């Protein structure tokens, strides 16, 4: 299994990245610094996380060449629209302190304002054409959102970042992504949302099947879940602010799950979403101002 995924435009992306959602700005430099020292070479942030500046600071002070770190960030819905999204690039790149982004994605579809979503995506296409971003994509796009986007725009998204963990597989979205050559990227890959938001399904970290598989390999539940994503061909972006867990989550390249084990984890799907319903995202309920760089 390769550590990199080749996106549909030929760009190479480290499959295992590092997430920083809910990492407070004051903890972000230390967390990203630890991740880079550990070996992560892909950081996933977002304008809405309000820590792009600190992500950029940690990457600059790491001593690594810019080309060695894959930087992914997301446009928030408040900045959708052709000109607004072009400007959102300036805001994000300015805060990150870089000229070019590796992957720039729409954070959500806006189903009630799909016209704005399309205009935002056309801005991403323009940024791609101009070489300001190396790849473009989407997040939380359901199959019908993808179909509408593909009908109206020219560039097939390279990535769709969606909620995927053992308790919520979104098989229909995974299948739609695969059918179009889009890499599925798992957010909450170890089921974070099952334990930091009350969903009633319990924590994936306490799951007996995952624990049993972990014992067989001398690995932790988090490691088993991350390995499962990677062997299924997905990207995964686990988040932690603790050095011990940051290291644990990266130590997943020295064991192999069997087909039976992969299938046993697939079978844990409850069909219960932890995150917001993608069709319920509106500017009225989720709009928020994204500051200038
Ligand atoms: P994760 O599945 O990565 O879980 C993170 C939680 O698990 C944190 O509470 C963390 O706590 C804890 N944790 C991390 N490692 C371990 C471990 N080895 N053992 C036990 N607990 C652990 O969930 P996230 O929701 O944070 O998702 C990851 C990333 O995905 C985000 O940071 C963000 O980049 C992206 N994301 C994108 C969304 C979107 O809409 N596009 C939505 C949500 C997330 P601690 O930090 O204290 O270690």
């Amino acid at each position: 299994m390769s550590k990199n995924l080749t996106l549909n435009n030929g760009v190479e992306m480290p499959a295992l990245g590092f997430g920083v959602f809910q990492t407070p700005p004051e903890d972000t430099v230390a967390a990203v610094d630890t991740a880079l020292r550990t070996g992560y070479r892909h950081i996933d942030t977002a304008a809405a996380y309000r820590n792009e500046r600190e992500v950029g600071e940690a990457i600059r002070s790491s001593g690594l060449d810019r080309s060695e770190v894959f930087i992914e960030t997301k446009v928030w819905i408040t900045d959708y629209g052709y000109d607004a999204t072009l400007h959102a690039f300036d805001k994000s790149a300015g805060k990150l302190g870089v000229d070019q982004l590796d992957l720039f994605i729409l954070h959500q579809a806006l189903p009630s304002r799909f016209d704005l979503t399309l205009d935002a995506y056309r801005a991403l296409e323009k940024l791609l054409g101009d070489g300001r971003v190396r790849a473009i994509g989407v997040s939380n796009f359901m199959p019908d959102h993808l179909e509408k986007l593909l009908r109206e725009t020219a560039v097939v998204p390279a990535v769709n970042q969606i909620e995927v963990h053992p308790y919520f597989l979104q098989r229909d979205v995974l299948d739609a992504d695969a059918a179009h050559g889009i890499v599925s990227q798992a957010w909450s890959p170890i089921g974070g949302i099952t334990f930091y938001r009350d969903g009633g399904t319990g924590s994936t970290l306490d799951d007996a099947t995952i624990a049993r598989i972990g014992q067989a390999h001398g690995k932790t539940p988090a490691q088993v879940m991350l390995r499962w994503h990677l062997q299924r061909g997905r990207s995964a972006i686990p988040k932690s602010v603790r050095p011990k867990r940051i290291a644990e989550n990266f130590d997943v390249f020295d064991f192999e799950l069997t087909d039976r084990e992969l299938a046993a984890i697939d079978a844990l799907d409850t069909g219960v979403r932890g995150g917001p319903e993608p069709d319920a995202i509106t500017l009225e309920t989720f709009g928020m101002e994204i500051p200038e760089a």
Side-chain angles (χ1 to χ4, degrees), residues 21 44 139-140 161 188 192 196 239-242 245 249:
F21 175 46
D44 175 68
S139 175
N140 299 307
Q161 184 182 119
S188 267
Y196 65 60
K239 172 264 179 188
S240 179
V241 292
R242 300 169 207 246
R245 290 176 174 175
N249 295 345

Side-chain angles (χ1 to χ4, degrees), residues 6-9 121 136 138 141-151 154-160 172-184:
T6 305
L7 304 179
N8 58 16
N9 65 350
Y121 193 78
I136 61 175
V138 295
F141 269 50
M142 299 297 101
D144 60 317
H145 306 145
L146 279 178
E147 289 306 327
K148 276 199 261 179
L149 181 79
L150 292 168
R151 257 202 313 274
V155 178
V156 178
V159 166
N160 188 11
D172 57 333
V173 189
L174 296 177
D175 288 347
D177 287 350
H180 296 293
I182 300 168
V183 165
S184 298

Side-chain angles (χ1 to χ4, degrees), residues 200-213:
T201 51
S203 165
T204 48
L205 284 175
D206 299 328
D207 186 89
T209 300
I210 297 171
R212 180 178 48 72
I213 293 171

Side-chain angles (χ1 to χ4, degrees), residues 18-23 44-45 49 74 105 107-108 139-140 161-162 165 186-193 195-196 205 220 222-223 237-242 244-246 248-249:
F18 183 70
V20 293
F21 175 46
Q22 292 177 324
T23 302
D44 175 68
T45 182
Y49 301 168
K74 317 183 189 81
I105 67 178
H107 207 139
Q108 304 275 353
S139 175
N140 299 307
Q161 184 182 119
I162 54 170
H165 48 72
W187 68 252
S188 267
I190 62 168
I193 201 152
F195 42 99
Y196 65 60
L205 284 175
T220 66
Q223 290 171 326
I237 44 171
K239 172 264 179 188
S240 179
V241 292
R242 300 169 207 246
K244 199 167 158 288
R245 290 176 174 175
I246 292 172
E248 174 186 327
N249 295 345

